[in-house]
Amino acid sequence: MKAEINAEMDILLDIDMSFSLLSIKKLNKSFYRDQQTFTVLDGIHLDIQQGEFISIVGSSGCGKSTLLRLIAGLDKDYQGEILLNQTPIQGTDLKRGLIFQEHRLLPWLSVSENIHLALEETDLSRAEKNARVAEHLTMVGLKGFENAYPHELSGGMAQRVAIARGLVNQPDILLLDEPFGALDAITRSHLQTELQRIWQDQKITMILVTHDIEEAVYLGDRVIVMSARPGKIKEIIQVPLTHPRHKDSELLFNYRNQALNMLDHSA
Ligand SMILES: Nc1ncnc2c1ncn2[C@@H]1O[C@H](COP(=O)(O)OP(=O)(O)OP(=O)(O)O)[C@@H](O)[C@H]1O
Ligand SMILES: [Mg+2]
């Protein structure tokens, strides 16, 4: 009897009740070009917890966008596992928002119509959609610009609309591929602060690809440093500082140097 109880306890102890929101295991991705296979991602292992802010840095071509596209479900041709809540990702889903470097707004639609478009697939009523769009326009500081067209916006404003569009479906995960890359330094800095505030308010898990090391450590709970050809995770830097953070913090500066040092040796 005692042996039986012990065996049962062992089984119970073996079951891990905590699991990650997103779990990437042994992920490999290759492309075929000119009758050759190019391995772009090689053996990626990554567990991301609910509510985490993950930054990904690495040299151009190391596979960052490819990785985001796989997590978004835009590309299903890969080896390994990408599990969301322990279930393999099957194509795109409104619960995973994606924001690109360029805003990709439709020029013939107003700001409000561009955001509405993201709600097309939902079964919300017209009134609920209007309320959601208004709420998200306020969240990104664009109240009053509902009827403006993309050509009437600055780059920073257009990117705010793209952020509102990415958030309007209330995704569990927001994937951001160099969202501020094309903006001037002041606008970028401002939007980084805004993104931190939105992340704290909404408690959405965010994965940000960036070439800006300051941005990566300012926002990230962890900074994933990738190396290239083929893309691998070279190092994961923990940034255990509470949010909201201040850009001039000396501690942040130390993490920035650590990340820079890693990148120098990762090409
Ligand atoms: N559809 C595709 N077909 C063939 N090769 C591709 C395709 N998409 C990406 N690649 C290749 O995969 C590699 C990684 O590309 P990816 O766009 O993921 O890099 P990245 O890290 O996002 O670079 P960057 O920082 O410049 O945006 C590159 O060598 C690229 O040429
Ligand atoms: Mg890219």
Side-chain angles (χ1 to χ4, degrees):
M1 182 64 182
K2 195 161 177 239
E4 258 173 44
I5 293 172
N6 282 345
E8 206 166 322
M9 284 297 288
D10 282 348
I11 291 168
L12 281 175
L13 288 173
D14 269 356
I15 299 171
D16 183 6
M17 300 301 282
S18 64
F19 58 85
S20 308
L21 174 69
L22 185 73
S23 187
I24 300 173
K25 297 180 203 296
K26 294 188 186 165
L27 175 66
N28 287 284
K29 167 72 188 169
S30 302
F31 285 112
Y32 305 96
R33 203 173 52 234
D34 298 333
Q35 293 165 341
Q36 282 189 60
T37 303
F38 296 90
T39 301
V40 172
L41 295 172
D42 183 16
I44 304 288
H45 271 279
L46 188 59
D47 279 297
I48 296 177
Q49 310 306 322
Q50 167 68 44
E52 254 195 302
F53 198 115
I54 298 289
S55 302
I56 302 180
V57 296
S59 57
S60 185
C62 74
K64 305 179 296 296
S65 296
T66 303
L67 179 59
L68 281 200
R69 286 175 56 80
L70 291 171
I71 297 172
L74 287 167
D75 185 348
K76 287 183 248 173
D77 176 22
Y78 61 88
Q79 292 82 49
E81 280 186 309
I82 308 177
L83 305 175
L84 184 67
N85 288 320
Q86 293 190 304
T87 308
I89 283 177
Q90 311 271 5
T92 55
D93 191 296
L94 295 177
K95 287 289 154 198
R96 269 164 289 133
L98 186 55
I99 297 175
F100 302 92
Q101 179 170 0
E102 68 288 3
H103 55 71
R104 299 194 183 186
L105 301 178
L106 298 178
W108 58 87
L109 295 182
S110 69
V111 162
S112 154
E113 287 164 344
N114 264 287
I115 302 173
H116 264 284
L117 203 57
L119 292 173
E120 218 172 37
E121 305 275 293
T122 65
D123 43 21
L124 297 174
S125 70
R126 189 76 208 161
E128 284 168 328
K129 285 181 183 173
N130 287 341
R132 279 266 191 104
V133 171
E135 177 197 339
H136 285 82
L137 273 172
T138 305
M139 191 188 292
V140 297
L142 281 179
K143 198 167 182 312
F145 287 89
E146 294 78 3
N147 300 321
Y149 282 84
H151 76 270
E152 297 174 295
L153 305 175
S154 70
M157 289 162 86
Q159 204 53 295
R160 283 168 187 269
V161 180
I163 293 172
R165 187 184 50 186
L167 288 170
V168 77
N169 277 304
Q170 302 179 334
D172 296 331
I173 302 185
L174 189 65
L175 306 163
L176 303 116
D177 196 353
E178 298 186 50
F180 310 137
L183 304 176
D184 68 87
I186 294 170
T187 310
R188 191 187 318 154
S189 173
H190 196 60
L191 283 185
Q192 288 162 353
T193 312
E194 292 284 282
L195 188 67
Q196 177 171 242
R197 178 185 61 76
I198 292 170
W199 171 73
Q200 281 201 284
D201 272 9
Q202 307 289 308
K203 307 199 176 359
I204 298 169
T205 308
M206 294 198 184
I207 308 179
L208 168 81
V209 164
T210 179
H211 281 286
D212 181 337
I213 308 299
E214 274 89 4
E215 179 172 297
V217 295
Y218 169 62
L219 292 167
D221 293 318
R222 286 189 287 160
V223 178
I224 315 292
V225 181
M226 289 182 63
S227 57
R229 286 176 298 277
K232 290 176 188 266
I233 293 179
K234 181 185 162 72
E235 186 77 34
I236 298 182
I237 298 171
Q238 306 275 349
V239 187
L241 304 176
T242 52
H243 296 263
R245 295 172 178 170
H246 298 284
K247 294 213 168 98
D248 47 9
S249 140
E250 202 169 308
L251 283 169
L252 217 50
F253 188 71
N254 294 339
Y255 289 110
R256 165 201 173 267
N257 287 347
Q258 202 182 326
L260 262 183
N261 201 29
M262 280 298 152
L263 274 174
D264 281 349
H265 303 106
S266 69

